[in-house]
Amino acid sequence: MGGIFTPGLSGREMKRASIACELIRDPDIIFLDEPTTGLDSSTTTSLISLLKTYAAESGKSVIASIHQPSSQNFFQFDKLMLLTGGQVAYFGETSQVVQHFQSVGIAVEENYNPADFILEALSESEEVRTKLLSASKSNSYIHRVQYRDGEMLNFSGGIEVDEKLANGVAFSDMDPGSVHMSLLDLESPENELEIHSVDSERKWPTGFWTQYSQLTLRTFRESRRRILDKTKLLENLLICGFVSLIFFQLPRNEDTLRDRMGAVFFIAAHWAFIPLFDAVTSFPMERMVINKERSAHWYRLSAYYLAKMSSELVLILIQPTVFVIIAYWVIGLNGIEAFFSTLGTVFIDSIAGQSFGLFIGIACMQINQAMTVSITFQMAIMLLGGLFTRNIPVWLDWMKYLSFLHYSFHSLMVLEFTDGKPVECLLPAENSAFTICQSANVTEIPSNQILQYYDMTWSYWQYILALLLFTIIFRALGYFTLRYFRKPF
């Protein structure tokens, strides 16, 4: 279909595709709000003809609002409803509307499109509206709409609604297999047709596995274009090149210790925030589609959410894999033994960042609002990550445990300095920050003492478990927010 960042169907093609999506569910009644808007005359005629054929062959009712139809399209509709000031001015056979106007003393000019004449008459003359409303009130038919499976659609504007829900049909005096038109009041746009649905218990059209597998395939195809965009791939390759050049083969000494920590922190931060910002924009862009499909009961929310989680998992791990494979060895980090653990930690870091981004995107649901919130939290997460601030005030020290970057950075530091090569002392020794270097005949600092110096006292698995817990909590929060606070209208 296309979207904000992805080219897709044209306006005409998108209009027809949205109608086709509704037909998949084989509904008893089809409501179309101005389906011909933006279409040329030929396409409009073709669309209405197809709908009329569909209604006749399938025994369905099609109800549409349409503005300024040609006379050819106007008379393709079987029934017509006219609204003025929120009240029914006419409801009956389209072929009889001219005679109805004449019966109340309003003559339709010869060779004049009846649709144009009616809309002009209703919008310009109070006398015409009064006559038509009086004639309409004298008719005995009842205007109501009902929906299969106990769901009722209620029309605003003073139309009487039958409270008894039945299997079957909408609008008394309206036969299945026909096409109906509602010409809305041009003078009062606020009185346009409003449709409200009442949720009702119904069975899902397919099983959970079918829903999950199909949604996974669809989400994978959509996400692949977004996540593996050529521009993003080039961007990350360039960043990888810069990082490799800046930190190229860092000597393992005290003088470059902060540089080594900076390289580790950058890897953790970069692959936390790239998936975070991608996920932040993901849900807001899909919001309208999700709400539409959920309100139509196409699938379970759990199937959609699990498909979203699993289908993007492989995609978000491809780029950090390439990045770490290159940067790890060019920078000269802690050898082969820690390499695979570093790669796995970056994977978990990326998934945690995506979890946080998904939650923000779901909670905000507007791209500009979500981006503002995510940037604010990004700054806070970086400050509390453990590189820029080591001496946080006591009354704020607890906040570092709310930063998932704190856990990913510290776990990578543990991998880098646990059982790693010793770090050469700064010369002259009296300038060293480590007391061991000031001892006689000591020129190297054991890696474990680096961790102790920077107060990294947890084990690797403690940091990882905290990071996994963070991931689980925010994915669960995203699901419950989507289920209970972001229900479709």
Side-chain angles (χ1 to χ4, degrees), residues 60-65 77-81 91 94 170-171 173-182:
K60 311 295 183 182
S61 293
V62 178
I63 305 172
S65 61
F77 289 90
D78 299 290
K79 293 284 183 71
L80 171 68
M81 174 183 283
F91 177 50
T94 306
F171 284 119
D173 296 345
M174 186 164 73
D175 300 324
S178 57
V179 181
H180 318 277
M181 172 169 61
S182 171

Side-chain angles (χ1 to χ4, degrees), residues 220-473:
F220 179 82
R221 289 172 175 170
E222 292 297 322
S223 302
R224 181 178 57 189
R225 289 194 292 266
R226 186 185 77 251
I227 297 175
L228 300 182
D229 179 72
K230 292 180 180 179
T231 305
K232 291 184 178 180
L233 292 173
L234 179 61
E235 172 192 344
N236 284 308
L237 283 175
L238 288 174
I239 292 174
C240 182
F242 285 131
V243 170
S244 300
L245 290 173
I246 292 171
F247 299 108
F248 181 78
Q249 292 297 303
L250 281 175
R252 203 171 181 87
N253 56 46
E254 187 180 349
D255 192 41
T256 60
L257 185 57
R258 293 293 296 181
D259 292 339
R260 185 172 294 273
M261 292 176 64
V264 172
F265 184 85
F266 181 85
I267 293 173
H270 182 68
W271 291 114
F273 295 137
I274 290 294
L276 187 153
F277 283 108
D278 178 78
V280 159
T281 60
S282 174
F283 268 107
M285 288 193 296
E286 298 176 2
R287 177 172 58 91
M288 293 184 66
V289 174
I290 297 168
N291 287 343
K292 175 177 176 295
E293 294 176 347
R294 286 180 64 192
S295 61
H297 295 269
W298 284 13
Y299 46 73
R300 295 171 175 84
L301 176 61
S302 56
Y304 165 78
Y305 198 72
L306 287 174
K308 181 78 174 175
M309 300 300 100
S310 57
S311 63
E312 295 185 354
L313 192 60
V314 176
L315 295 172
I316 67 169
L317 299 182
I318 293 176
Q319 294 188 67
T321 300
V322 177
F323 188 100
V324 172
I325 289 175
I326 296 173
Y328 187 92
W329 299 109
V330 174
I331 294 172
L333 298 178
N334 189 22
I336 189 66
E337 293 182 2
F339 168 73
F340 292 103
S341 297
T342 298
L343 188 61
T345 304
V346 172
F347 286 169
I348 300 173
D349 181 39
S350 298
I351 296 170
Q354 186 199 39
S355 304
F356 192 63
L358 289 173
F359 172 69
I360 294 176
I362 293 169
C364 297
M365 277 296 188
Q366 298 293 336
I367 291 181
N368 55 348
Q369 183 185 25
M371 290 299 293
T372 300
V373 172
S374 60
I375 290 172
T376 303
F377 276 97
Q378 179 201 14
M379 296 296 104
I381 288 169
M382 288 185 66
L383 288 173
L384 297 170
L387 178 70
F388 300 113
T389 51
R390 303 300 307 178
N391 298 306
I392 303 176
V394 175
W395 58 279
L396 279 178
D397 190 62
W398 60 272
M399 292 186 66
K400 66 185 180 183
Y401 298 110
L402 302 179
S403 169
F404 70 92
L405 188 58
H406 169 84
Y407 303 110
S408 55
F409 170 59
H410 282 64
S411 58
L412 289 177
M413 284 289 291
V414 171
L415 290 174
E416 176 63 19
F417 291 102
T418 297
D419 299 326
K421 293 180 180 179
V423 176
E424 295 180 3
C425 290
L426 183 66
L427 295 176
E430 57 268 17
N431 293 331
S432 175
F434 296 86
T435 55
I436 192 174
C437 292
Q438 300 172 10
S439 304
N441 300 322
V442 176
T443 59
E444 293 180 337
I445 309 166
S447 287
N448 291 336
Q449 290 196 15
I450 303 293
L451 297 175
Q452 294 174 8
Y453 179 81
Y454 287 107
D455 197 29
M456 299 180 187
T457 56
W458 289 12
S459 69
Y460 171 75
W461 289 110
Q462 285 177 303
Y463 288 119
I464 288 297
L465 287 175
L467 194 59
L468 290 173
L469 183 62
F470 185 100
T471 301
I472 294 170
I473 289 174

